[in-house]
Every structure is written in structure tokens, then in C-alpha cells.
Amino acid sequence: MPTCSSFGNEEEPLLGNMRQVIGISSQTLVDEKKSNRLPQYVAALIATIGGLVMGTVLAWTSPTSQTLASQKDIAISDLENSLIGGITNVGAMIGAAGGGLYCNFIGRKRGLIAIAVPSIIGWCLIMWGDSVALIIAGRVILGIVMGIFTVLCPLFTTEIGENSIRGTLGTYFQLQVTLGIFFDYVVGSIVTSVFYFSLICGVLPLVLAGLIILMPETPQFYLSKNNEAAARKSLQWYRGKNYDINDEIAGMKATIEKVKEEKLSYTEAFSSTPAKRGLIIGLGVMFFQQLSGINSVIFYSADIFKAAGSTMDAATCSMIVGGVQVVATYISTLIVDRLGRKPMLFVSAAVMSLSTGALGIYFHLKIIESDVSNLAWLPVTSLSLFLIVFSLGFGPIPWMFLSEIFPPAIKGPATSIACLFNWLCSFAVTFSFKSVNNAIGSDYTFWIFTAISALGAVFVLCLIPETKGKSLEEIQKALGGSEPTENRRNAESKT
């Protein structure tokens, strides 16, 4: 296995070949310090294959739900079918809860390699499982894998990225998730065998493990293990041989040493102002991401296309929806470090609120049997607009925020808490949507999402700081961390 000592002396042929593949110009890759950004882009794209794996797990039931029982020659009830689809949320909660400890113990790089083992076990249970229990067990294991990825992938990209492109790298995770979902829609419509479709999905974690071996561990992790020599070689590889890494290394060391010197318990660390504000922001963006109505809009996508007079089947509608999300999320990767996080989140929430409000009006008119023949454009327009702005803002940015806003002393557990909360919200929406929709109607359901997204816009405007181009230390100061915790404790002891 290559070690960090093999990186940094020369640009790898792999990176040279990738330059044209990912379409990044030489001018973009070199800043005033002559840093080579290509290694950062490539490593982030490879690490976030975890998002691609996650997307395939999430959308796996879409092309297989109608044929699973017949191909497996087993009886699957409606309840069991729902469990197969939604049980991954439970597994993801478990994975997210332990993800912080996992990546701090084993490391970011080795964590991404090791996760291939439970991934393979999960897919094997699905491929060869001859009972509902074994299929559900496989889905739970894959859910745990998803939960770990939500912690590990954003952390890796943040720790290797320069301040000026950290936002772009951070959006790659959600981009890969949308690619994974789109992959399932397309490949699942071609490969109708559940076994072979699952086999194709199961290969992707191996691809991630094989490629991430070529990348060095993050410099922050090496420094946290008191291995400065390896950290320097790692950072030099990620920045290029002409880049002066001394200032960055000094900043990383100062942050880590400060945490070690303060020797705070988790209770003390979580009670600091930056930690409390970071948690409020982290939990808030996760709440508004899941409660925006994204799952409901996708659930109704086929009905919305039919209402507009389309004769496309559900599979084609799903591919269109998936394609729109991929394109919009890709655009987000290009503009997030130019426009900033805060304005993109605000516009995303505000326009989502308008879109779900319009969908609620349309469905209300249908319920009261008004003539909506002249409004066939409204649901498709609202659907498209919602998907675009979600994929530009509240889709990718919350994952990126998690690795930016938490103090180093609690980054691992705090990120796990936020990811756990995200999956808890996803679980609640998934399992309550149908019952709520049946109880109050689709119009009022969409209006609830309208109110939540409007509240999300206010939340962004009032509580979220702009982190574009700021170092992690500057972000902590913006959150109220300018006063050292040790000084605060000394001051408190004198009073």
C-alpha cells in the first residue's frame, strides 16, 4: 500500500490524465501561492464516492420493489416492503452516532477503505438472502454504512481543502449522492435482475477502497497523532511541490495544541459559545433540509407530470427528476465559493417555500374539483423550480457546513449528533408522510412544508454566518470563540 512518503515529489500521472476529465483549467488550479489544486479536486471526488454508494442504497428499492418478491420467490407483505425501503434510516442513525469515534480512531483514509467490508456483507445478504429477514438485515448494514459516510466524507474533504475551494469540495458529497440515485434509476431500468443490479451496486464500495489507497491521509489526522513529518508530506502532496505549507501547518498545530492544552471534558467543550452556536446551526440546517418537503415532491413527481398531461411512466419521470438534481447540484459546486453559503441557503429556502405553496394551491383546486386545465404548467414548473433550488442550496450545503462550524475539540461527536439528527428527521418524514397526507390532504401537507421552508429562510438570515473563504479558526471566532476557553475558566474561578 502506498504511504505518504510516495506523494509530493512529483505530480502523479493519474492526476495529469484527470485534468481534462474533470474540466479544470490550469489557471484555476494555481493561485497566488502557486498551489496545485488538482490533487484536492481528485481526492475529494474519490472520497465522496461514498456519497455515490449512499445514493445507490437509498434508491435501490425504486427499480426493485415490484420484482423483488417474484425473483426471490418469497412472499413480501406491504409492511415488510415498507421496512425494506425505510429500515436503512434506522441503520444510518446507528452509523452516524458512531461515525465520529470511528473516523477519529481508525483515520479518514483507512476508514473509507475499511467501510468496504460491511458494504460487501450488506449487498451479499441482499443478493443471496432467501428470506425477508436476511434482506432487511442487509439493508440495516448498508444503512449503517450510509450513516458513517455522512460523517466521514465531508470531514475528509474539509481537511484536505484550501479555504478558497473548501465550499466546492464540500458540495461534492451531495453531488455524488444525486449521481447514485440517478445511477439506480437508469441502470435499474436496464438491468432488471435484482441479483445483478445489486451486484453492480456492490462493486462501488470496492472502487472507492481501491482509489482512496492512492491518496494520502489528511494532514490534520496525522497532526492529531503527533506525526508532523507525515502531515507535512500529506499537505505538500495536496498543495503541490511549489507551495509553502509552513503557515498552514503552523495554524493546524496551534489549533490542535490549544485543544490538548485546555484538556476540556466533552461537557465543558460543548458548553462553549462556538459549540452551542455550531450545534444550533448544524441541527437547524439538517432539520430544514429534511422537512423542506423534498421527499414528498419526489413522491408526487409522477402525479405532477401526469397532471400536466404527460404520458411518461413513473420510471422515466424518476430519471428526469434525478437528472435535474444532478445538474443543479453540479452547478452548486461551481458557484458556492463565489456566491457564498448564506445567500444560496436563503434563496433556496425562500424559493422552496414558494414552490410547495404553489403545489399546495394546485392540489387544493383539484380537491375542490375546480377546473385546473389552464394550470397544467403550474405543478411541473413548481416541481422543477423546487428541485433546482434545493439542489443548489439546502441539498449540498448542510453537509459541507458540518465540517466547518464545529470547534476541533468536539468536531467528531458534534458531527455525529448532527448526522444522527438528520437521519432521525428523514425517518420521521418517511414513515409519517403517508398517514399525514391521508389525514389532512396533499394540499395542507404541502402548505406545512411551505411554512417550514419560510421559517428556514428566517433561520438562515438571522443565525447563519457566512463562512466563504474563511479559515476554520476564523469561523470559530465568528461564532463567538475569540476568547480562549482556558481564560474563561480562569476568570470564572476568580469570581
Side-chain angles (χ1 to χ4, degrees), residues 280-305:
I280 291 172
I281 293 169
L283 296 178
V285 292
M286 290 305 183
F287 174 83
F288 291 114
Q289 181 194 67
Q290 290 298 327
L291 273 293
S292 64
I294 179 62
N295 294 326
S296 305
V297 170
I298 293 175
F299 176 83
Y300 267 104
S301 59
D303 292 336
I304 290 172
F305 278 106

PDB file of all heavy atoms in Angstrom, residues 280-305:
ATOM      1  N   ILE A 280     -26.566  24.547  17.119  1.00  0.00           N
ATOM      2  CA  ILE A 280     -27.840  25.133  16.679  1.00  0.00           C
ATOM      3  C   ILE A 280     -27.873  25.222  15.156  1.00  0.00           C
ATOM      4  O   ILE A 280     -28.873  24.862  14.511  1.00  0.00           O
ATOM      5  CB  ILE A 280     -28.047  26.530  17.316  1.00  0.00           C
ATOM      6  CG1 ILE A 280     -28.290  26.389  18.816  1.00  0.00           C
ATOM      7  CG2 ILE A 280     -29.214  27.257  16.646  1.00  0.00           C
ATOM      8  CD1 ILE A 280     -28.301  27.716  19.546  1.00  0.00           C
ATOM      9  N   ILE A 281     -26.777  25.681  14.570  1.00  0.00           N
ATOM     10  CA  ILE A 281     -26.713  25.800  13.110  1.00  0.00           C
ATOM     11  C   ILE A 281     -26.739  24.428  12.455  1.00  0.00           C
ATOM     12  O   ILE A 281     -27.478  24.190  11.496  1.00  0.00           O
ATOM     13  CB  ILE A 281     -25.441  26.569  12.694  1.00  0.00           C
ATOM     14  CG1 ILE A 281     -25.529  28.025  13.162  1.00  0.00           C
ATOM     15  CG2 ILE A 281     -25.234  26.512  11.181  1.00  0.00           C
ATOM     16  CD1 ILE A 281     -24.227  28.797  13.029  1.00  0.00           C
ATOM     17  N   GLY A 282     -25.922  23.498  12.977  1.00  0.00           N
ATOM     18  CA  GLY A 282     -25.856  22.164  12.388  1.00  0.00           C
ATOM     19  C   GLY A 282     -27.184  21.431  12.444  1.00  0.00           C
ATOM     20  O   GLY A 282     -27.636  20.852  11.437  1.00  0.00           O
ATOM     21  N   LEU A 283     -27.829  21.455  13.604  1.00  0.00           N
ATOM     22  CA  LEU A 283     -29.131  20.785  13.733  1.00  0.00           C
ATOM     23  C   LEU A 283     -30.190  21.514  12.921  1.00  0.00           C
ATOM     24  O   LEU A 283     -31.082  20.883  12.332  1.00  0.00           O
ATOM     25  CB  LEU A 283     -29.541  20.723  15.203  1.00  0.00           C
ATOM     26  CG  LEU A 283     -28.646  19.897  16.134  1.00  0.00           C
ATOM     27  CD1 LEU A 283     -29.154  19.959  17.557  1.00  0.00           C
ATOM     28  CD2 LEU A 283     -28.555  18.449  15.670  1.00  0.00           C
ATOM     29  N   GLY A 284     -30.081  22.835  12.860  1.00  0.00           N
ATOM     30  CA  GLY A 284     -31.078  23.614  12.117  1.00  0.00           C
ATOM     31  C   GLY A 284     -31.053  23.329  10.628  1.00  0.00           C
ATOM     32  O   GLY A 284     -32.097  23.073  10.021  1.00  0.00           O
ATOM     33  N   VAL A 285     -29.869  23.343  10.033  1.00  0.00           N
ATOM     34  CA  VAL A 285     -29.813  23.118   8.581  1.00  0.00           C
ATOM     35  C   VAL A 285     -30.231  21.690   8.233  1.00  0.00           C
ATOM     36  O   VAL A 285     -30.832  21.440   7.176  1.00  0.00           O
ATOM     37  CB  VAL A 285     -28.411  23.430   7.997  1.00  0.00           C
ATOM     38  CG1 VAL A 285     -28.119  24.916   8.082  1.00  0.00           C
ATOM     39  CG2 VAL A 285     -27.319  22.611   8.672  1.00  0.00           C
ATOM     40  N   MET A 286     -29.938  20.735   9.115  1.00  0.00           N
ATOM     41  CA  MET A 286     -30.376  19.362   8.877  1.00  0.00           C
ATOM     42  C   MET A 286     -31.894  19.230   8.983  1.00  0.00           C
ATOM     43  O   MET A 286     -32.531  18.521   8.200  1.00  0.00           O
ATOM     44  CB  MET A 286     -29.700  18.405   9.867  1.00  0.00           C
ATOM     45  CG  MET A 286     -28.220  18.221   9.608  1.00  0.00           C
ATOM     46  SD  MET A 286     -27.900  17.674   7.904  1.00  0.00           S
ATOM     47  CE  MET A 286     -26.141  17.456   7.917  1.00  0.00           C
ATOM     48  N   PHE A 287     -32.479  19.924   9.949  1.00  0.00           N
ATOM     49  CA  PHE A 287     -33.935  19.906  10.103  1.00  0.00           C
ATOM     50  C   PHE A 287     -34.625  20.481   8.869  1.00  0.00           C
ATOM     51  O   PHE A 287     -35.537  19.866   8.304  1.00  0.00           O
ATOM     52  CB  PHE A 287     -34.335  20.709  11.343  1.00  0.00           C
ATOM     53  CG  PHE A 287     -35.817  20.870  11.517  1.00  0.00           C
ATOM     54  CD1 PHE A 287     -36.585  19.883  12.116  1.00  0.00           C
ATOM     55  CD2 PHE A 287     -36.469  22.024  11.069  1.00  0.00           C
ATOM     56  CE1 PHE A 287     -37.955  20.026  12.270  1.00  0.00           C
ATOM     57  CE2 PHE A 287     -37.827  22.176  11.218  1.00  0.00           C
ATOM     58  CZ  PHE A 287     -38.582  21.180  11.828  1.00  0.00           C
ATOM     59  N   PHE A 288     -34.164  21.640   8.426  1.00  0.00           N
ATOM     60  CA  PHE A 288     -34.821  22.283   7.288  1.00  0.00           C
ATOM     61  C   PHE A 288     -34.538  21.552   5.974  1.00  0.00           C
ATOM     62  O   PHE A 288     -35.345  21.612   5.050  1.00  0.00           O
ATOM     63  CB  PHE A 288     -34.395  23.750   7.201  1.00  0.00           C
ATOM     64  CG  PHE A 288     -34.932  24.588   8.322  1.00  0.00           C
ATOM     65  CD1 PHE A 288     -34.076  25.154   9.254  1.00  0.00           C
ATOM     66  CD2 PHE A 288     -36.297  24.780   8.472  1.00  0.00           C
ATOM     67  CE1 PHE A 288     -34.574  25.914  10.303  1.00  0.00           C
ATOM     68  CE2 PHE A 288     -36.808  25.537   9.516  1.00  0.00           C
ATOM     69  CZ  PHE A 288     -35.945  26.103  10.446  1.00  0.00           C
ATOM     70  N   GLN A 289     -33.412  20.845   5.904  1.00  0.00           N
ATOM     71  CA  GLN A 289     -33.156  20.032   4.712  1.00  0.00           C
ATOM     72  C   GLN A 289     -34.188  18.922   4.588  1.00  0.00           C
ATOM     73  O   GLN A 289     -34.790  18.706   3.533  1.00  0.00           O
ATOM     74  CB  GLN A 289     -31.747  19.425   4.780  1.00  0.00           C
ATOM     75  CG  GLN A 289     -31.390  18.585   3.553  1.00  0.00           C
ATOM     76  CD  GLN A 289     -30.170  17.713   3.759  1.00  0.00           C
ATOM     77  OE1 GLN A 289     -30.198  16.773   4.556  1.00  0.00           O
ATOM     78  NE2 GLN A 289     -29.090  18.026   3.048  1.00  0.00           N
ATOM     79  N   GLN A 290     -34.405  18.189   5.659  1.00  0.00           N
ATOM     80  CA  GLN A 290     -35.301  17.039   5.601  1.00  0.00           C
ATOM     81  C   GLN A 290     -36.774  17.423   5.637  1.00  0.00           C
ATOM     82  O   GLN A 290     -37.622  16.735   5.060  1.00  0.00           O
ATOM     83  CB  GLN A 290     -34.988  16.083   6.756  1.00  0.00           C
ATOM     84  CG  GLN A 290     -33.661  15.364   6.623  1.00  0.00           C
ATOM     85  CD  GLN A 290     -33.597  14.483   5.393  1.00  0.00           C
ATOM     86  OE1 GLN A 290     -34.593  13.908   4.972  1.00  0.00           O
ATOM     87  NE2 GLN A 290     -32.413  14.379   4.802  1.00  0.00           N
ATOM     88  N   LEU A 291     -37.106  18.519   6.335  1.00  0.00           N
ATOM     89  CA  LEU A 291     -38.511  18.942   6.460  1.00  0.00           C
ATOM     90  C   LEU A 291     -38.918  19.937   5.386  1.00  0.00           C
ATOM     91  O   LEU A 291     -39.988  20.542   5.471  1.00  0.00           O
ATOM     92  CB  LEU A 291     -38.757  19.535   7.848  1.00  0.00           C
ATOM     93  CG  LEU A 291     -39.128  18.567   8.983  1.00  0.00           C
ATOM     94  CD1 LEU A 291     -40.491  17.938   8.742  1.00  0.00           C
ATOM     95  CD2 LEU A 291     -38.062  17.535   9.238  1.00  0.00           C
ATOM     96  N   SER A 292     -38.092  20.108   4.375  1.00  0.00           N
ATOM     97  CA  SER A 292     -38.422  21.040   3.292  1.00  0.00           C
ATOM     98  C   SER A 292     -39.515  20.489   2.382  1.00  0.00           C
ATOM     99  O   SER A 292     -40.171  21.247   1.671  1.00  0.00           O
ATOM    100  CB  SER A 292     -37.167  21.322   2.450  1.00  0.00           C
ATOM    101  OG  SER A 292     -36.730  20.129   1.803  1.00  0.00           O
ATOM    102  N   GLY A 293     -39.669  19.166   2.390  1.00  0.00           N
ATOM    103  CA  GLY A 293     -40.653  18.528   1.518  1.00  0.00           C
ATOM    104  C   GLY A 293     -40.032  17.839   0.330  1.00  0.00           C
ATOM    105  O   GLY A 293     -40.738  17.410  -0.580  1.00  0.00           O
ATOM    106  N   ILE A 294     -38.701  17.681   0.322  1.00  0.00           N
ATOM    107  CA  ILE A 294     -38.024  17.099  -0.830  1.00  0.00           C
ATOM    108  C   ILE A 294     -38.541  15.691  -1.129  1.00  0.00           C
ATOM    109  O   ILE A 294     -38.797  15.343  -2.282  1.00  0.00           O
ATOM    110  CB  ILE A 294     -36.481  17.085  -0.606  1.00  0.00           C
ATOM    111  CG1 ILE A 294     -35.759  16.453  -1.792  1.00  0.00           C
ATOM    112  CG2 ILE A 294     -36.111  16.399   0.704  1.00  0.00           C
ATOM    113  CD1 ILE A 294     -35.939  17.187  -3.091  1.00  0.00           C
ATOM    114  N   ASN A 295     -38.705  14.866  -0.082  1.00  0.00           N
ATOM    115  CA  ASN A 295     -39.178  13.505  -0.318  1.00  0.00           C
ATOM    116  C   ASN A 295     -40.609  13.489  -0.853  1.00  0.00           C
ATOM    117  O   ASN A 295     -40.970  12.649  -1.675  1.00  0.00           O
ATOM    118  CB  ASN A 295     -39.089  12.682   0.969  1.00  0.00           C
ATOM    119  CG  ASN A 295     -37.658  12.464   1.414  1.00  0.00           C
ATOM    120  OD1 ASN A 295     -36.769  12.331   0.582  1.00  0.00           O
ATOM    121  ND2 ASN A 295     -37.422  12.445   2.708  1.00  0.00           N
ATOM    122  N   SER A 296     -41.432  14.421  -0.397  1.00  0.00           N
ATOM    123  CA  SER A 296     -42.817  14.490  -0.849  1.00  0.00           C
ATOM    124  C   SER A 296     -42.903  14.940  -2.302  1.00  0.00           C
ATOM    125  O   SER A 296     -43.714  14.424  -3.077  1.00  0.00           O
ATOM    126  CB  SER A 296     -43.602  15.463   0.037  1.00  0.00           C
ATOM    127  OG  SER A 296     -43.495  15.092   1.393  1.00  0.00           O
ATOM    128  N   VAL A 297     -42.070  15.906  -2.661  1.00  0.00           N
ATOM    129  CA  VAL A 297     -42.056  16.382  -4.044  1.00  0.00           C
ATOM    130  C   VAL A 297     -41.650  15.244  -4.984  1.00  0.00           C
ATOM    131  O   VAL A 297     -42.265  15.041  -6.037  1.00  0.00           O
ATOM    132  CB  VAL A 297     -41.097  17.585  -4.191  1.00  0.00           C
ATOM    133  CG1 VAL A 297     -40.884  17.922  -5.661  1.00  0.00           C
ATOM    134  CG2 VAL A 297     -41.656  18.796  -3.451  1.00  0.00           C
ATOM    135  N   ILE A 298     -40.627  14.487  -4.585  1.00  0.00           N
ATOM    136  CA  ILE A 298     -40.203  13.351  -5.409  1.00  0.00           C
ATOM    137  C   ILE A 298     -41.292  12.285  -5.446  1.00  0.00           C
ATOM    138  O   ILE A 298     -41.562  11.687  -6.487  1.00  0.00           O
ATOM    139  CB  ILE A 298     -38.883  12.780  -4.873  1.00  0.00           C
ATOM    140  CG1 ILE A 298     -37.758  13.806  -5.071  1.00  0.00           C
ATOM    141  CG2 ILE A 298     -38.532  11.469  -5.567  1.00  0.00           C
ATOM    142  CD1 ILE A 298     -36.434  13.388  -4.475  1.00  0.00           C
ATOM    143  N   PHE A 299     -41.941  12.041  -4.298  1.00  0.00           N
ATOM    144  CA  PHE A 299     -43.013  11.048  -4.226  1.00  0.00           C
ATOM    145  C   PHE A 299     -44.148  11.393  -5.193  1.00  0.00           C
ATOM    146  O   PHE A 299     -44.740  10.518  -5.827  1.00  0.00           O
ATOM    147  CB  PHE A 299     -43.548  10.982  -2.792  1.00  0.00           C
ATOM    148  CG  PHE A 299     -44.716  10.050  -2.614  1.00  0.00           C
ATOM    149  CD1 PHE A 299     -44.507   8.686  -2.444  1.00  0.00           C
ATOM    150  CD2 PHE A 299     -46.015  10.527  -2.603  1.00  0.00           C
ATOM    151  CE1 PHE A 299     -45.584   7.818  -2.275  1.00  0.00           C
ATOM    152  CE2 PHE A 299     -47.091   9.677  -2.435  1.00  0.00           C
ATOM    153  CZ  PHE A 299     -46.881   8.312  -2.265  1.00  0.00           C
ATOM    154  N   TYR A 300     -44.442  12.680  -5.330  1.00  0.00           N
ATOM    155  CA  TYR A 300     -45.547  13.127  -6.175  1.00  0.00           C
ATOM    156  C   TYR A 300     -45.114  13.430  -7.613  1.00  0.00           C
ATOM    157  O   TYR A 300     -45.939  13.876  -8.413  1.00  0.00           O
ATOM    158  CB  TYR A 300     -46.184  14.386  -5.576  1.00  0.00           C
ATOM    159  CG  TYR A 300     -47.357  14.102  -4.674  1.00  0.00           C
ATOM    160  CD1 TYR A 300     -47.234  14.171  -3.297  1.00  0.00           C
ATOM    161  CD2 TYR A 300     -48.609  13.764  -5.207  1.00  0.00           C
ATOM    162  CE1 TYR A 300     -48.304  13.916  -2.462  1.00  0.00           C
ATOM    163  CE2 TYR A 300     -49.686  13.499  -4.385  1.00  0.00           C
ATOM    164  CZ  TYR A 300     -49.523  13.583  -3.014  1.00  0.00           C
ATOM    165  OH  TYR A 300     -50.587  13.323  -2.188  1.00  0.00           O
ATOM    166  N   SER A 301     -43.843  13.225  -7.929  1.00  0.00           N
ATOM    167  CA  SER A 301     -43.349  13.658  -9.241  1.00  0.00           C
ATOM    168  C   SER A 301     -44.128  13.024 -10.394  1.00  0.00           C
ATOM    169  O   SER A 301     -44.466  13.712 -11.370  1.00  0.00           O
ATOM    170  CB  SER A 301     -41.856  13.347  -9.369  1.00  0.00           C
ATOM    171  OG  SER A 301     -41.611  11.961  -9.225  1.00  0.00           O
ATOM    172  N   ALA A 302     -44.408  11.719 -10.310  1.00  0.00           N
ATOM    173  CA  ALA A 302     -45.157  11.060 -11.389  1.00  0.00           C
ATOM    174  C   ALA A 302     -46.554  11.657 -11.530  1.00  0.00           C
ATOM    175  O   ALA A 302     -47.030  11.907 -12.649  1.00  0.00           O
ATOM    176  CB  ALA A 302     -45.242   9.558 -11.130  1.00  0.00           C
ATOM    177  N   ASP A 303     -47.226  11.913 -10.394  1.00  0.00           N
ATOM    178  CA  ASP A 303     -48.572  12.512 -10.429  1.00  0.00           C
ATOM    179  C   ASP A 303     -48.530  13.917 -11.016  1.00  0.00           C
ATOM    180  O   ASP A 303     -49.447  14.333 -11.742  1.00  0.00           O
ATOM    181  CB  ASP A 303     -49.169  12.565  -9.025  1.00  0.00           C
ATOM    182  CG  ASP A 303     -49.487  11.179  -8.481  1.00  0.00           C
ATOM    183  OD1 ASP A 303     -49.679  10.259  -9.300  1.00  0.00           O
ATOM    184  OD2 ASP A 303     -49.529  11.019  -7.258  1.00  0.00           O
ATOM    185  N   ILE A 304     -47.468  14.644 -10.691  1.00  0.00           N
ATOM    186  CA  ILE A 304     -47.348  16.015 -11.195  1.00  0.00           C
ATOM    187  C   ILE A 304     -47.158  16.019 -12.705  1.00  0.00           C
ATOM    188  O   ILE A 304     -47.759  16.832 -13.421  1.00  0.00           O
ATOM    189  CB  ILE A 304     -46.184  16.734 -10.475  1.00  0.00           C
ATOM    190  CG1 ILE A 304     -46.559  16.988  -9.008  1.00  0.00           C
ATOM    191  CG2 ILE A 304     -45.832  18.042 -11.167  1.00  0.00           C
ATOM    192  CD1 ILE A 304     -45.419  17.506  -8.160  1.00  0.00           C
ATOM    193  N   PHE A 305     -46.335  15.124 -13.210  1.00  0.00           N
ATOM    194  CA  PHE A 305     -46.157  15.037 -14.657  1.00  0.00           C
ATOM    195  C   PHE A 305     -47.462  14.625 -15.348  1.00  0.00           C
ATOM    196  O   PHE A 305     -47.804  15.151 -16.417  1.00  0.00           O
ATOM    197  CB  PHE A 305     -45.043  14.040 -14.997  1.00  0.00           C
ATOM    198  CG  PHE A 305     -43.665  14.613 -14.898  1.00  0.00           C
ATOM    199  CD1 PHE A 305     -42.834  14.284 -13.840  1.00  0.00           C
ATOM    200  CD2 PHE A 305     -43.191  15.487 -15.863  1.00  0.00           C
ATOM    201  CE1 PHE A 305     -41.555  14.812 -13.748  1.00  0.00           C
ATOM    202  CE2 PHE A 305     -41.920  16.016 -15.786  1.00  0.00           C
ATOM    203  CZ  PHE A 305     -41.095  15.683 -14.720  1.00  0.00           C
TER     204      PHE A 305
END
